[in-house]
Coordinates of all heavy atoms in Angstrom, one line a residue:
S3 N 17.1 -2.4 16.1 CA 16.5 -1.8 14.8 C 15.9 -2.9 14.0 O 15.1 -2.7 13.1 CB 17.6 -1.1 14.0 OG 18.6 -2.1 13.7
R14 N 9.7 2.1 1.6 CA 10.8 1.7 0.7 C 10.7 0.3 0.2 O 10.9 0.0 -1.0 CB 12.1 1.9 1.5 CG 13.4 1.8 0.7 CD 14.6 2.2 1.5 NE 15.8 1.9 0.7 CZ 16.4 0.8 0.6 NH1 16.0 -0.3 1.3 NH2 17.5 0.7 -0.1
V18 N 10.2 -0.9 -3.7 CA 11.1 -1.9 -4.4 C 10.3 -3.0 -5.1 O 10.5 -3.3 -6.2 CB 12.1 -2.4 -3.4 CG1 12.9 -3.6 -4.1 CG2 13.1 -1.4 -3.0
Q26 N 8.8 -6.4 -14.3 CA 8.4 -7.8 -14.7 C 7.3 -7.7 -15.7 O 7.3 -8.5 -16.7 CB 7.9 -8.5 -13.4 CG 7.5 -9.9 -13.6 CD 6.9 -10.5 -12.3 OE1 6.5 -9.8 -11.4 NE2 6.8 -11.8 -12.3
V32 N 3.3 -6.6 -21.9 CA 1.9 -6.2 -21.8 C 1.7 -4.8 -22.4 O 0.6 -4.4 -22.7 CB 1.4 -6.2 -20.4 CG1 1.3 -7.6 -19.8 CG2 2.3 -5.4 -19.5
G37 N 0.4 -0.3 -28.5 CA 0.5 -0.4 -29.9 C -0.9 -0.6 -30.6 O -1.2 0.0 -31.6
I38 N -1.7 -1.5 -29.9 CA -3.1 -1.7 -30.5 C -3.9 -0.4 -30.4 O -4.6 -0.1 -31.3 CB -3.7 -2.9 -29.7 CG1 -2.9 -4.2 -29.9 CG2 -5.2 -3.1 -30.2 CD1 -3.4 -5.3 -29.0
N50 N -11.3 7.1 -41.3 CA -12.6 7.7 -40.9 C -13.6 6.6 -40.5 O -14.7 6.5 -41.0 CB -13.2 8.5 -42.1 CG -12.5 9.8 -42.3 OD1 -12.0 10.4 -41.3 ND2 -12.3 10.2 -43.5
D53 N -17.0 7.4 -39.3 CA -18.1 7.8 -40.3 C -18.8 6.6 -40.9 O -19.9 6.8 -41.5 CB -17.4 8.6 -41.5 CG -16.8 9.9 -41.0 OD1 -17.1 10.2 -39.8 OD2 -16.1 10.5 -41.8
A89 N -3.9 -11.1 -12.3 CA -4.1 -12.6 -12.2 C -2.8 -13.4 -12.5 O -2.7 -14.5 -12.0 CB -5.2 -13.0 -13.2
L92 N 0.7 -13.7 -9.0 CA 1.1 -14.7 -8.0 C 1.5 -16.1 -8.6 O 2.5 -16.6 -8.2 CB -0.1 -14.9 -7.0 CG -0.5 -13.7 -6.1 CD1 -1.6 -14.0 -5.1 CD2 0.8 -13.2 -5.4
V96 N 5.1 -17.9 -8.2 CA 5.3 -19.3 -7.7 C 6.0 -20.1 -8.7 O 6.9 -20.9 -8.3 CB 3.9 -19.9 -7.4 CG1 4.0 -21.4 -7.1 CG2 3.2 -19.2 -6.3
I116 N 0.8 -5.2 -1.3 CA 0.6 -3.8 -1.7 C 1.6 -3.5 -2.8 O 1.3 -2.8 -3.8 CB 0.9 -2.9 -0.5 CG1 -0.2 -3.1 0.6 CG2 0.9 -1.4 -0.9 CD1 0.0 -2.4 1.8
G117 N 2.8 -4.0 -2.7 CA 3.8 -3.8 -3.8 C 3.4 -4.3 -5.1 O 3.6 -3.7 -6.2
V122 N 1.2 -3.1 -10.7 CA 0.1 -3.1 -11.7 C -0.5 -1.8 -11.9 O -0.7 -1.3 -13.1 CB -1.0 -4.1 -11.3 CG1 -2.1 -4.1 -12.3 CG2 -0.4 -5.5 -11.2
L125 N 1.8 0.4 -14.0 CA 1.7 0.1 -15.4 C 0.5 0.6 -16.1 O 0.5 1.2 -17.2 CB 1.7 -1.4 -15.5 CG 1.7 -1.9 -17.0 CD1 3.0 -1.8 -17.6 CD2 1.2 -3.4 -17.0
R144 N -7.4 17.3 -35.3 CA -8.7 17.2 -36.0 C -9.6 18.5 -35.7 O -10.3 19.0 -36.6 CB -9.5 16.0 -35.5 CG -8.9 14.7 -36.1 CD -8.9 14.6 -37.6 NE -10.2 14.6 -38.2 CZ -10.8 13.6 -38.6 NH1 -10.3 12.4 -38.5 NH2 -12.0 13.7 -39.2
S150 N -10.6 25.0 -39.5 CA -10.1 25.6 -40.8 C -11.1 25.3 -41.9 O -11.3 26.2 -42.7 CB -8.7 25.0 -41.0 OG -8.2 25.5 -42.2
Q165 N -23.7 33.1 -34.5 CA -23.7 31.7 -35.0 C -22.3 31.1 -35.2 O -22.0 30.0 -34.9 CB -24.5 31.6 -36.3 CG -26.0 31.8 -36.0 CD -26.8 31.8 -37.3 OE1 -26.4 32.4 -38.3 NE2 -28.0 31.2 -37.3
R170 N -17.8 27.8 -33.3 CA -16.4 27.6 -32.8 C -16.4 27.0 -31.4 O -15.6 26.1 -31.1 CB -15.7 29.0 -32.7 CG -15.3 29.6 -34.0 CD -14.3 30.7 -33.8 NE -14.2 31.6 -35.0 CZ -14.9 32.7 -35.2 NH1 -15.7 33.1 -34.3 NH2 -14.7 33.3 -36.3
Q171 N -17.3 27.5 -30.5 CA -17.3 26.9 -29.1 C -17.7 25.5 -29.1 O -17.2 24.7 -28.3 CB -18.3 27.8 -28.3 CG -17.8 29.2 -28.0 CD -18.8 29.9 -27.1 OE1 -19.8 29.4 -26.7 NE2 -18.4 31.1 -26.8
V195 N -9.8 -0.5 -9.0 CA -10.8 -1.3 -8.3 C -10.8 -2.7 -8.8 O -10.8 -3.7 -8.0 CB -12.2 -0.7 -8.3 CG1 -13.2 -1.6 -7.6 CG2 -12.2 0.7 -7.6
I196 N -10.9 -2.8 -10.1 CA -11.0 -4.2 -10.7 C -9.6 -4.9 -10.5 O -9.6 -6.2 -10.3 CB -11.4 -4.2 -12.2 CG1 -11.7 -5.6 -12.7 CG2 -10.3 -3.6 -13.0 CD1 -12.9 -6.2 -12.0
T199 N -9.7 -6.2 -7.0 CA -10.6 -7.3 -6.9 C -9.9 -8.6 -7.4 O -10.0 -9.7 -6.8 CB -11.9 -7.0 -7.8 OG1 -12.4 -5.8 -7.4 CG2 -12.9 -8.1 -7.6
T210 N -4.7 -19.0 -12.9 CA -4.8 -17.7 -13.6 C -6.1 -17.6 -14.3 O -6.8 -16.5 -14.3 CB -3.6 -17.5 -14.5 OG1 -2.4 -17.6 -13.8 CG2 -3.7 -16.1 -15.2
V233 N -34.3 -3.4 -7.8 CA -35.4 -4.3 -8.0 C -35.6 -5.2 -6.8 O -36.7 -5.3 -6.3 CB -35.1 -5.2 -9.2 CG1 -36.2 -6.3 -9.3 CG2 -35.2 -4.3 -10.5
V264 N -17.7 8.8 -17.8 CA -17.1 9.0 -19.1 C -18.1 9.4 -20.1 O -17.9 10.2 -21.0 CB -16.3 7.7 -19.5 CG1 -15.8 7.8 -20.9 CG2 -15.2 7.5 -18.5
F300 N -4.0 -14.4 2.5 CA -2.6 -14.7 2.1 C -1.7 -15.0 3.3 O -0.8 -15.8 3.2 CB -2.1 -13.5 1.3 CG -0.8 -13.8 0.5 CD1 -0.8 -14.7 -0.5 CD2 0.3 -13.1 0.8 CE1 0.3 -15.0 -1.3 CE2 1.5 -13.4 0.1 CZ 1.5 -14.3 -0.9
K303 N -1.7 -18.7 4.2 CA -1.4 -19.7 3.1 C 0.0 -20.3 3.3 O 1.0 -19.5 3.7 CB -1.5 -19.1 1.7 CG -2.9 -18.8 1.3 CD -3.0 -18.5 -0.1 CE -3.1 -19.7 -1.0 NZ -3.4 -19.4 -2.4

Side-chain angles (χ1 to χ4, degrees):
S3 60
R14 188 170 177 275
V18 169
Q26 182 185 16
V32 290
I38 298 173
N50 288 325
D53 296 350
L92 294 185
V96 172
I116 296 175
V122 174
L125 179 78
R144 290 301 295 261
S150 177
Q165 290 174 319
R170 284 196 199 95
Q171 288 184 359
V195 174
I196 192 62
T199 306
T210 301
V233 170
V264 173
F300 195 64
K303 291 190 81 171

